[in-house]
Amino acid sequence: MRIHDVAVPNDWDRKGLPGWAYHSPALLELEREHVFRRHWQIAGHVSDVPEPGDYLTMDVVGERALVVRGQDGVVRAFHNICRHRGSRVVADDKGHCKNALVCPFHGWVYNLDGTLRGAARPRSFPELDKTEFGLKPLDLEIWMGFIFIRFRAGDQPSVAEIMKPVEAEIANYGLADMLPTGGISTTELPVNWKSVRDVDNEGYHVAMAHPALQDLYGSTYFDEPFVNGLSRSFATYNPHAGRRWSVRNYVRIAPEADHLPPHLRKAWIYYGMFPNNVLTIMPESVQFYQEFPIAPDRTVLRGAMYRYADEDRRTKAARYLALRIDRDTASEDQQLSIWSNESMLSKAFEGFYLSDLEYGVRTHHDHLRRVVPVLGLEKAPNETEMKTLNSALLSQA
């Protein structure tokens, strides 16, 4: 079952993005604004903030987000910026406040719906409007239990519109009712963020680079390209696989997923949402992961896993083994991204030469070129002129 048909154009550009695009500080600033701040990002899951007063924070691409569940049960998102002097309103990655958010700098107090409750020493200020001086809201959308936020309003469609082609398939899993298996984790890599995404966007390398995945499902795996911001990769695991310990025991222990339709009971599915979000769904769990640039040569990986509330011991064991397989795969991918990224500083590097199987990379690059058109230039523009040139190209589009 395919969501997107795979069509490879005759004029395929096998080189993908140019090498200069992976180490340009000026380009990174354009990407922060046009790629990351203007598109939806997964902040977490509703189960990460189950009770009124529960909150989580997210610091990425020069922005600070605060997601909090109000006394009315509604989950909201705000810039984690006090309206007084710009301090963080909350400092921890995750926590709970009883009935208000109190800035640790001067003690300004905000209600859980973001409105200002009061400033410290209020007589030293003119009268402050509680809404005008409340926390600045962020766009927020909850889809299948996952909390998506957006730092800048734009003309992109809603999360529900983007994910519509896979909505019926994903609805089988009951993601909104799942529970966290731990906190949201982060890891840093010494590479450009696009090198991480390039590796993740194709399965051409699975047979060579991922022995556990090849053992588990290599013969059935296929990718689909990015179409309107959405991609999908699908595989069903071989119940007779078992050359590796984790794979052998996973397929032996994993219970029959009777809550799923037959074609999904042994499926591992990866859904990509432009520019950097991935939902990985297995019969016993779901996880999200994403990457954000810190610098042209530094990237933070962020993600978490969620389980069924009624998980039994066999399912828990299968989830653990699946996590081992996925952990090995992630480590292998990280090394591949390092090797690929470091080569781009060499004068010997002449760009990618992509296989017909790497349409996930190409179509992701096409999406990037649309929002940052200087990426279509083979030769690097002057760093000081990058922003002006990109604006001119956008106006012509």
Side-chain angles (χ1 to χ4, degrees), residues 103-145:
C103 175
F105 194 176
H106 293 91
W108 280 38
V109 181
Y110 298 90
N111 297 310
L112 299 184
D113 63 3
T115 56
L116 177 67
R117 183 178 297 185
R121 299 192 178 184
R123 293 182 181 178
S124 65
F125 293 93
E127 186 173 350
L128 302 175
D129 183 274
K130 305 302 184 185
T131 300
E132 181 184 352
F133 283 90
L135 299 176
K136 288 192 173 182
L138 292 171
D139 289 348
L140 179 144
E141 186 174 345
I142 296 174
W143 186 84
M144 300 281 183

mmCIF file of all heavy atoms in Angstrom, residues 103-145:
data_model
loop_
_atom_site.group_PDB
_atom_site.id
_atom_site.type_symbol
_atom_site.label_atom_id
_atom_site.label_comp_id
_atom_site.label_asym_id
_atom_site.label_seq_id
_atom_site.Cartn_x
_atom_site.Cartn_y
_atom_site.Cartn_z
ATOM 1 N N CYS A 103 7.982 34.405 36.959
ATOM 2 C CA CYS A 103 9.287 34.680 36.362
ATOM 3 C C CYS A 103 10.362 34.704 37.460
ATOM 4 O O CYS A 103 10.204 35.404 38.475
ATOM 5 C CB CYS A 103 9.256 36.014 35.625
ATOM 6 S SG CYS A 103 10.867 36.503 34.974
ATOM 7 N N PRO A 104 11.471 33.974 37.269
ATOM 8 C CA PRO A 104 12.491 33.908 38.312
ATOM 9 C C PRO A 104 13.371 35.161 38.404
ATOM 10 O O PRO A 104 14.190 35.251 39.316
ATOM 11 C CB PRO A 104 13.325 32.690 37.890
ATOM 12 C CG PRO A 104 13.161 32.622 36.407
ATOM 13 C CD PRO A 104 11.774 33.086 36.122
ATOM 14 N N PHE A 105 13.194 36.131 37.490
ATOM 15 C CA PHE A 105 14.039 37.326 37.493
ATOM 16 C C PHE A 105 13.498 38.369 38.473
ATOM 17 O O PHE A 105 14.158 38.751 39.445
ATOM 18 C CB PHE A 105 14.115 37.880 36.071
ATOM 19 C CG PHE A 105 15.203 38.897 35.828
ATOM 20 C CD1 PHE A 105 15.405 39.387 34.541
ATOM 21 C CD2 PHE A 105 16.025 39.378 36.839
ATOM 22 C CE1 PHE A 105 16.404 40.317 34.283
ATOM 23 C CE2 PHE A 105 17.020 40.315 36.592
ATOM 24 C CZ PHE A 105 17.209 40.787 35.309
ATOM 25 N N HIS A 106 12.259 38.821 38.268
ATOM 26 C CA HIS A 106 11.685 39.851 39.133
ATOM 27 C C HIS A 106 10.352 39.446 39.756
ATOM 28 O O HIS A 106 9.767 40.221 40.516
ATOM 29 C CB HIS A 106 11.472 41.149 38.350
ATOM 30 C CG HIS A 106 12.742 41.815 37.923
ATOM 31 N ND1 HIS A 106 13.327 41.555 36.710
ATOM 32 C CD2 HIS A 106 13.542 42.727 38.550
ATOM 33 C CE1 HIS A 106 14.430 42.269 36.584
ATOM 34 N NE2 HIS A 106 14.592 42.988 37.679
ATOM 35 N N GLY A 107 9.867 38.242 39.411
ATOM 36 C CA GLY A 107 8.659 37.770 40.058
ATOM 37 C C GLY A 107 7.358 38.172 39.399
ATOM 38 O O GLY A 107 6.313 38.145 40.064
ATOM 39 N N TRP A 108 7.391 38.574 38.131
ATOM 40 C CA TRP A 108 6.119 38.786 37.440
ATOM 41 C C TRP A 108 5.364 37.456 37.391
ATOM 42 O O TRP A 108 5.965 36.394 37.189
ATOM 43 C CB TRP A 108 6.359 39.306 36.024
ATOM 44 C CG TRP A 108 6.650 40.792 35.959
ATOM 45 C CD1 TRP A 108 7.385 41.523 36.836
ATOM 46 C CD2 TRP A 108 6.180 41.688 34.963
ATOM 47 N NE1 TRP A 108 7.417 42.831 36.451
ATOM 48 C CE2 TRP A 108 6.691 42.973 35.300
ATOM 49 C CE3 TRP A 108 5.392 41.562 33.824
ATOM 50 C CZ2 TRP A 108 6.430 44.107 34.535
ATOM 51 C CZ3 TRP A 108 5.142 42.689 33.047
ATOM 52 C CH2 TRP A 108 5.641 43.948 33.405
ATOM 53 N N VAL A 109 4.035 37.516 37.541
ATOM 54 C CA VAL A 109 3.221 36.309 37.655
ATOM 55 C C VAL A 109 2.238 36.240 36.489
ATOM 56 O O VAL A 109 1.545 37.221 36.181
ATOM 57 C CB VAL A 109 2.444 36.292 38.992
ATOM 58 C CG1 VAL A 109 1.625 35.006 39.108
ATOM 59 C CG2 VAL A 109 3.406 36.425 40.168
ATOM 60 N N TYR A 110 2.179 35.070 35.858
ATOM 61 C CA TYR A 110 1.277 34.853 34.722
ATOM 62 C C TYR A 110 0.332 33.702 35.046
ATOM 63 O O TYR A 110 0.732 32.686 35.638
ATOM 64 C CB TYR A 110 2.071 34.516 33.461
ATOM 65 C CG TYR A 110 2.996 35.618 33.019
ATOM 66 C CD1 TYR A 110 4.311 35.679 33.489
ATOM 67 C CD2 TYR A 110 2.567 36.610 32.144
ATOM 68 C CE1 TYR A 110 5.162 36.693 33.099
ATOM 69 C CE2 TYR A 110 3.407 37.636 31.748
ATOM 70 C CZ TYR A 110 4.708 37.679 32.236
ATOM 71 O OH TYR A 110 5.544 38.693 31.841
ATOM 72 N N ASN A 111 -0.924 33.852 34.661
ATOM 73 C CA ASN A 111 -1.882 32.763 34.757
ATOM 74 C C ASN A 111 -1.522 31.680 33.741
ATOM 75 O O ASN A 111 -0.783 31.925 32.778
ATOM 76 C CB ASN A 111 -3.296 33.277 34.518
ATOM 77 C CG ASN A 111 -3.734 34.279 35.567
ATOM 78 O OD1 ASN A 111 -3.614 34.025 36.766
ATOM 79 N ND2 ASN A 111 -4.227 35.428 35.121
ATOM 80 N N LEU A 112 -2.070 30.488 33.935
ATOM 81 C CA LEU A 112 -1.735 29.382 33.043
ATOM 82 C C LEU A 112 -2.302 29.562 31.639
ATOM 83 O O LEU A 112 -1.890 28.847 30.717
ATOM 84 C CB LEU A 112 -2.222 28.059 33.640
ATOM 85 C CG LEU A 112 -1.617 27.677 34.999
ATOM 86 C CD1 LEU A 112 -2.111 26.302 35.430
ATOM 87 C CD2 LEU A 112 -0.092 27.709 34.962
ATOM 88 N N ASP A 113 -3.224 30.520 31.465
ATOM 89 C CA ASP A 113 -3.706 30.825 30.113
ATOM 90 C C ASP A 113 -2.865 31.915 29.457
ATOM 91 O O ASP A 113 -3.191 32.400 28.367
ATOM 92 C CB ASP A 113 -5.176 31.236 30.131
ATOM 93 C CG ASP A 113 -5.432 32.519 30.915
ATOM 94 O OD1 ASP A 113 -4.467 33.144 31.414
ATOM 95 O OD2 ASP A 113 -6.615 32.919 31.021
ATOM 96 N N GLY A 114 -1.777 32.316 30.104
ATOM 97 C CA GLY A 114 -0.841 33.284 29.544
ATOM 98 C C GLY A 114 -1.106 34.721 29.914
ATOM 99 O O GLY A 114 -0.242 35.587 29.684
ATOM 100 N N THR A 115 -2.252 35.021 30.478
ATOM 101 C CA THR A 115 -2.534 36.408 30.855
ATOM 102 C C THR A 115 -1.688 36.817 32.061
ATOM 103 O O THR A 115 -1.324 35.988 32.887
ATOM 104 C CB THR A 115 -4.019 36.605 31.176
ATOM 105 O OG1 THR A 115 -4.411 35.674 32.204
ATOM 106 C CG2 THR A 115 -4.880 36.388 29.937
ATOM 107 N N LEU A 116 -1.396 38.099 32.137
ATOM 108 C CA LEU A 116 -0.615 38.620 33.260
ATOM 109 C C LEU A 116 -1.492 38.659 34.504
ATOM 110 O O LEU A 116 -2.590 39.218 34.499
ATOM 111 C CB LEU A 116 -0.101 40.023 32.932
ATOM 112 C CG LEU A 116 0.670 40.732 34.040
ATOM 113 C CD1 LEU A 116 1.998 40.039 34.314
ATOM 114 C CD2 LEU A 116 0.903 42.202 33.665
ATOM 115 N N ARG A 117 -1.021 38.062 35.581
ATOM 116 C CA ARG A 117 -1.731 38.173 36.853
ATOM 117 C C ARG A 117 -1.287 39.429 37.591
ATOM 118 O O ARG A 117 -2.110 40.122 38.197
ATOM 119 C CB ARG A 117 -1.494 36.947 37.724
ATOM 120 C CG ARG A 117 -2.265 36.989 39.039
ATOM 121 C CD ARG A 117 -2.076 35.739 39.888
ATOM 122 N NE ARG A 117 -2.589 34.542 39.227
ATOM 123 C CZ ARG A 117 -2.625 33.347 39.808
ATOM 124 N NH1 ARG A 117 -2.166 33.193 41.051
ATOM 125 N NH2 ARG A 117 -3.093 32.302 39.157
ATOM 126 N N GLY A 118 0.022 39.694 37.524
ATOM 127 C CA GLY A 118 0.480 40.910 38.183
ATOM 128 C C GLY A 118 1.990 41.044 38.138
ATOM 129 O O GLY A 118 2.721 40.053 38.068
ATOM 130 N N ALA A 119 2.431 42.300 38.136
ATOM 131 C CA ALA A 119 3.865 42.585 38.194
ATOM 132 C C ALA A 119 4.304 42.730 39.645
ATOM 133 O O ALA A 119 3.515 43.107 40.518
ATOM 134 C CB ALA A 119 4.168 43.875 37.431
ATOM 135 N N ALA A 120 5.563 42.403 39.904
ATOM 136 C CA ALA A 120 6.104 42.683 41.232
ATOM 137 C C ALA A 120 6.161 44.203 41.432
ATOM 138 O O ALA A 120 6.494 44.945 40.518
ATOM 139 C CB ALA A 120 7.502 42.069 41.354
ATOM 140 N N ARG A 121 5.806 44.655 42.666
ATOM 141 C CA ARG A 121 5.735 46.086 42.983
ATOM 142 C C ARG A 121 4.955 46.857 41.907
ATOM 143 O O ARG A 121 5.484 47.726 41.213
ATOM 144 C CB ARG A 121 7.129 46.667 43.151
ATOM 145 C CG ARG A 121 7.898 45.990 44.289
ATOM 146 C CD ARG A 121 9.146 46.737 44.652
ATOM 147 N NE ARG A 121 9.821 46.078 45.760
ATOM 148 C CZ ARG A 121 10.922 46.550 46.348
ATOM 149 N NH1 ARG A 121 11.452 47.695 45.919
ATOM 150 N NH2 ARG A 121 11.471 45.909 47.346
ATOM 151 N N PRO A 122 3.704 46.540 41.740
ATOM 152 C CA PRO A 122 2.910 47.093 40.633
ATOM 153 C C PRO A 122 2.807 48.613 40.647
ATOM 154 O O PRO A 122 2.597 49.224 39.585
ATOM 155 C CB PRO A 122 1.541 46.439 40.840
ATOM 156 C CG PRO A 122 1.511 46.021 42.272
ATOM 157 C CD PRO A 122 2.911 45.653 42.613
ATOM 158 N N ARG A 123 2.957 49.263 41.802
ATOM 159 C CA ARG A 123 2.830 50.718 41.837
ATOM 160 C C ARG A 123 3.981 51.434 41.146
ATOM 161 O O ARG A 123 3.908 52.637 40.889
ATOM 162 C CB ARG A 123 2.724 51.195 43.297
ATOM 163 C CG ARG A 123 1.432 50.750 43.973
ATOM 164 C CD ARG A 123 1.342 51.279 45.394
ATOM 165 N NE ARG A 123 0.116 50.836 46.056
ATOM 166 C CZ ARG A 123 -0.198 51.119 47.308
ATOM 167 N NH1 ARG A 123 0.660 51.819 48.061
ATOM 168 N NH2 ARG A 123 -1.333 50.679 47.830
ATOM 169 N N SER A 124 5.051 50.676 40.849
ATOM 170 C CA SER A 124 6.183 51.293 40.143
ATOM 171 C C SER A 124 5.959 51.321 38.631
ATOM 172 O O SER A 124 6.814 51.796 37.887
ATOM 173 C CB SER A 124 7.481 50.545 40.465
ATOM 174 O OG SER A 124 7.442 49.214 39.958
ATOM 175 N N PHE A 125 4.805 50.806 38.157
ATOM 176 C CA PHE A 125 4.463 50.795 36.734
ATOM 177 C C PHE A 125 3.131 51.508 36.530
ATOM 178 O O PHE A 125 2.303 51.591 37.454
ATOM 179 C CB PHE A 125 4.299 49.353 36.232
ATOM 180 C CG PHE A 125 5.549 48.535 36.218
ATOM 181 C CD1 PHE A 125 5.878 47.735 37.309
ATOM 182 C CD2 PHE A 125 6.401 48.555 35.122
ATOM 183 C CE1 PHE A 125 7.027 46.966 37.299
ATOM 184 C CE2 PHE A 125 7.551 47.789 35.107
ATOM 185 C CZ PHE A 125 7.872 46.999 36.195
ATOM 186 N N PRO A 126 2.895 51.991 35.314
ATOM 187 C CA PRO A 126 1.522 52.387 34.972
ATOM 188 C C PRO A 126 0.634 51.147 35.013
ATOM 189 O O PRO A 126 1.128 50.016 35.070
ATOM 190 C CB PRO A 126 1.643 52.928 33.547
ATOM 191 C CG PRO A 126 3.094 53.158 33.322
ATOM 192 C CD PRO A 126 3.836 52.196 34.210
ATOM 193 N N GLU A 127 -0.662 51.337 34.969
ATOM 194 C CA GLU A 127 -1.569 50.186 34.959
ATOM 195 C C GLU A 127 -1.308 49.334 33.732
ATOM 196 O O GLU A 127 -1.242 49.843 32.601
ATOM 197 C CB GLU A 127 -3.026 50.648 34.980
ATOM 198 C CG GLU A 127 -4.003 49.497 35.126
ATOM 199 C CD GLU A 127 -5.437 49.972 35.308
ATOM 200 O OE1 GLU A 127 -5.642 51.188 35.510
ATOM 201 O OE2 GLU A 127 -6.334 49.122 35.251
ATOM 202 N N LEU A 128 -1.148 48.023 33.932
ATOM 203 C CA LEU A 128 -0.792 47.103 32.853
ATOM 204 C C LEU A 128 -2.002 46.282 32.430
ATOM 205 O O LEU A 128 -2.641 45.632 33.263
ATOM 206 C CB LEU A 128 0.326 46.164 33.303
ATOM 207 C CG LEU A 128 1.635 46.838 33.762
ATOM 208 C CD1 LEU A 128 2.607 45.789 34.308
ATOM 209 C CD2 LEU A 128 2.269 47.608 32.614
ATOM 210 N N ASP A 129 -2.317 46.303 31.147
ATOM 211 C CA ASP A 129 -3.402 45.487 30.618
ATOM 212 C C ASP A 129 -3.016 44.013 30.705
ATOM 213 O O ASP A 129 -1.945 43.602 30.257
ATOM 214 C CB ASP A 129 -3.689 45.865 29.160
ATOM 215 C CG ASP A 129 -4.858 45.101 28.583
ATOM 216 O OD1 ASP A 129 -4.616 43.975 28.097
ATOM 217 O OD2 ASP A 129 -5.990 45.605 28.626
ATOM 218 N N LYS A 130 -3.868 43.190 31.289
ATOM 219 C CA LYS A 130 -3.537 41.798 31.587
ATOM 220 C C LYS A 130 -3.343 40.957 30.323
ATOM 221 O O LYS A 130 -2.583 39.985 30.325
ATOM 222 C CB LYS A 130 -4.615 41.157 32.457
ATOM 223 C CG LYS A 130 -4.917 41.915 33.740
ATOM 224 C CD LYS A 130 -3.689 42.091 34.618
ATOM 225 C CE LYS A 130 -4.042 42.767 35.935
ATOM 226 N NZ LYS A 130 -2.843 43.063 36.761
ATOM 227 N N THR A 131 -4.030 41.321 29.247
ATOM 228 C CA THR A 131 -3.876 40.581 27.993
ATOM 229 C C THR A 131 -2.714 41.131 27.168
ATOM 230 O O THR A 131 -1.877 40.378 26.665
ATOM 231 C CB THR A 131 -5.172 40.638 27.170
ATOM 232 O OG1 THR A 131 -6.236 40.059 27.931
ATOM 233 C CG2 THR A 131 -5.026 39.880 25.866
ATOM 234 N N GLU A 132 -2.658 42.454 27.065
ATOM 235 C CA GLU A 132 -1.594 43.087 26.279
ATOM 236 C C GLU A 132 -0.216 42.725 26.814
ATOM 237 O O GLU A 132 0.737 42.529 26.056
ATOM 238 C CB GLU A 132 -1.774 44.600 26.271
ATOM 239 C CG GLU A 132 -0.723 45.329 25.451
ATOM 240 C CD GLU A 132 -0.859 46.843 25.519
ATOM 241 O OE1 GLU A 132 -1.875 47.316 26.087
ATOM 242 O OE2 GLU A 132 0.048 47.533 25.031
ATOM 243 N N PHE A 133 -0.087 42.627 28.127
ATOM 244 C CA PHE A 133 1.193 42.285 28.740
ATOM 245 C C PHE A 133 1.278 40.810 29.143
ATOM 246 O O PHE A 133 2.132 40.422 29.928
ATOM 247 C CB PHE A 133 1.446 43.188 29.947
ATOM 248 C CG PHE A 133 1.893 44.567 29.560
ATOM 249 C CD1 PHE A 133 0.960 45.572 29.355
ATOM 250 C CD2 PHE A 133 3.233 44.846 29.369
ATOM 251 C CE1 PHE A 133 1.357 46.845 28.979
ATOM 252 C CE2 PHE A 133 3.641 46.119 28.993
ATOM 253 C CZ PHE A 133 2.703 47.121 28.793
ATOM 254 N N GLY A 134 0.372 39.999 28.577
ATOM 255 C CA GLY A 134 0.459 38.555 28.804
ATOM 256 C C GLY A 134 1.552 37.931 27.949
ATOM 257 O O GLY A 134 2.178 38.587 27.094
ATOM 258 N N LEU A 135 1.800 36.656 28.156
ATOM 259 C CA LEU A 135 2.783 35.937 27.349
ATOM 260 C C LEU A 135 2.339 35.899 25.889
ATOM 261 O O LEU A 135 1.151 35.743 25.589
ATOM 262 C CB LEU A 135 2.945 34.508 27.868
ATOM 263 C CG LEU A 135 3.433 34.361 29.306
ATOM 264 C CD1 LEU A 135 3.447 32.883 29.696
ATOM 265 C CD2 LEU A 135 4.806 34.979 29.486
ATOM 266 N N LYS A 136 3.302 36.041 24.986
ATOM 267 C CA LYS A 136 2.961 36.042 23.559
ATOM 268 C C LYS A 136 2.679 34.612 23.111
ATOM 269 O O LYS A 136 3.514 33.713 23.280
ATOM 270 C CB LYS A 136 4.101 36.641 22.745
ATOM 271 C CG LYS A 136 4.227 38.154 22.919
ATOM 272 C CD LYS A 136 5.165 38.744 21.888
ATOM 273 C CE LYS A 136 5.136 40.267 21.965
ATOM 274 N NZ LYS A 136 6.012 40.882 20.937
ATOM 275 N N PRO A 137 1.513 34.386 22.513
ATOM 276 C CA PRO A 137 1.142 33.016 22.126
ATOM 277 C C PRO A 137 1.866 32.545 20.871
ATOM 278 O O PRO A 137 2.292 33.349 20.035
ATOM 279 C CB PRO A 137 -0.363 33.113 21.883
ATOM 280 C CG PRO A 137 -0.583 34.542 21.481
ATOM 281 C CD PRO A 137 0.426 35.349 22.239
ATOM 282 N N LEU A 138 1.977 31.239 20.752
ATOM 283 C CA LEU A 138 2.479 30.590 19.551
ATOM 284 C C LEU A 138 1.342 29.828 18.888
ATOM 285 O O LEU A 138 0.420 29.365 19.561
ATOM 286 C CB LEU A 138 3.594 29.601 19.897
ATOM 287 C CG LEU A 138 4.912 30.168 20.408
ATOM 288 C CD1 LEU A 138 5.811 29.030 20.902
ATOM 289 C CD2 LEU A 138 5.624 30.947 19.310
ATOM 290 N N ASP A 139 1.415 29.681 17.565
ATOM 291 C CA ASP A 139 0.483 28.792 16.890
ATOM 292 C C ASP A 139 0.653 27.388 17.455
ATOM 293 O O ASP A 139 1.788 26.908 17.624
ATOM 294 C CB ASP A 139 0.763 28.769 15.389
ATOM 295 C CG ASP A 139 0.372 30.051 14.684
ATOM 296 O OD1 ASP A 139 -0.326 30.871 15.300
ATOM 297 O OD2 ASP A 139 0.776 30.225 13.522
ATOM 298 N N LEU A 140 -0.450 26.730 17.743
ATOM 299 C CA LEU A 140 -0.417 25.373 18.288
ATOM 300 C C LEU A 140 -1.515 24.552 17.637
ATOM 301 O O LEU A 140 -2.636 25.032 17.435
ATOM 302 C CB LEU A 140 -0.593 25.389 19.807
ATOM 303 C CG LEU A 140 -0.614 24.024 20.513
ATOM 304 C CD1 LEU A 140 0.056 24.110 21.872
ATOM 305 C CD2 LEU A 140 -2.050 23.505 20.688
ATOM 306 N N GLU A 141 -1.181 23.308 17.313
ATOM 307 C CA GLU A 141 -2.166 22.367 16.784
ATOM 308 C C GLU A 141 -1.869 20.992 17.373
ATOM 309 O O GLU A 141 -0.720 20.558 17.384
ATOM 310 C CB GLU A 141 -2.100 22.317 15.258
ATOM 311 C CG GLU A 141 -3.184 21.460 14.636
ATOM 312 C CD GLU A 141 -3.204 21.527 13.114
ATOM 313 O OE1 GLU A 141 -2.575 22.446 12.547
ATOM 314 O OE2 GLU A 141 -3.831 20.647 12.499
ATOM 315 N N ILE A 142 -2.890 20.350 17.880
ATOM 316 C CA ILE A 142 -2.748 18.988 18.400
ATOM 317 C C ILE A 142 -3.322 18.031 17.366
ATOM 318 O O ILE A 142 -4.481 18.158 16.954
ATOM 319 C CB ILE A 142 -3.455 18.831 19.750
ATOM 320 C CG1 ILE A 142 -2.788 19.724 20.802
ATOM 321 C CG2 ILE A 142 -3.423 17.367 20.204
ATOM 322 C CD1 ILE A 142 -3.491 19.751 22.142
ATOM 323 N N TRP A 143 -2.476 17.097 16.930
ATOM 324 C CA TRP A 143 -2.887 16.125 15.907
ATOM 325 C C TRP A 143 -2.501 14.738 16.385
ATOM 326 O O TRP A 143 -1.333 14.455 16.649
ATOM 327 C CB TRP A 143 -2.203 16.445 14.576
ATOM 328 C CG TRP A 143 -2.678 15.581 13.444
ATOM 329 C CD1 TRP A 143 -3.786 15.771 12.672
ATOM 330 C CD2 TRP A 143 -2.048 14.382 12.971
ATOM 331 N NE1 TRP A 143 -3.895 14.763 11.751
ATOM 332 C CE2 TRP A 143 -2.840 13.895 11.908
ATOM 333 C CE3 TRP A 143 -0.908 13.678 13.352
ATOM 334 C CZ2 TRP A 143 -2.519 12.740 11.213
ATOM 335 C CZ3 TRP A 143 -0.593 12.511 12.672
ATOM 336 C CH2 TRP A 143 -1.393 12.053 11.606
ATOM 337 N N MET A 144 -3.488 13.866 16.534
ATOM 338 C CA MET A 144 -3.276 12.496 17.008
ATOM 339 C C MET A 144 -2.489 12.479 18.323
ATOM 340 O O MET A 144 -1.682 11.584 18.578
ATOM 341 C CB MET A 144 -2.534 11.664 15.957
ATOM 342 C CG MET A 144 -3.231 11.545 14.633
ATOM 343 S SD MET A 144 -4.567 10.314 14.677
ATOM 344 C CE MET A 144 -5.123 10.342 12.980
ATOM 345 N N GLY A 145 -2.725 13.472 19.174
ATOM 346 C CA GLY A 145 -2.070 13.537 20.463
ATOM 347 C C GLY A 145 -0.738 14.260 20.461
ATOM 348 O O GLY A 145 -0.233 14.618 21.536
#
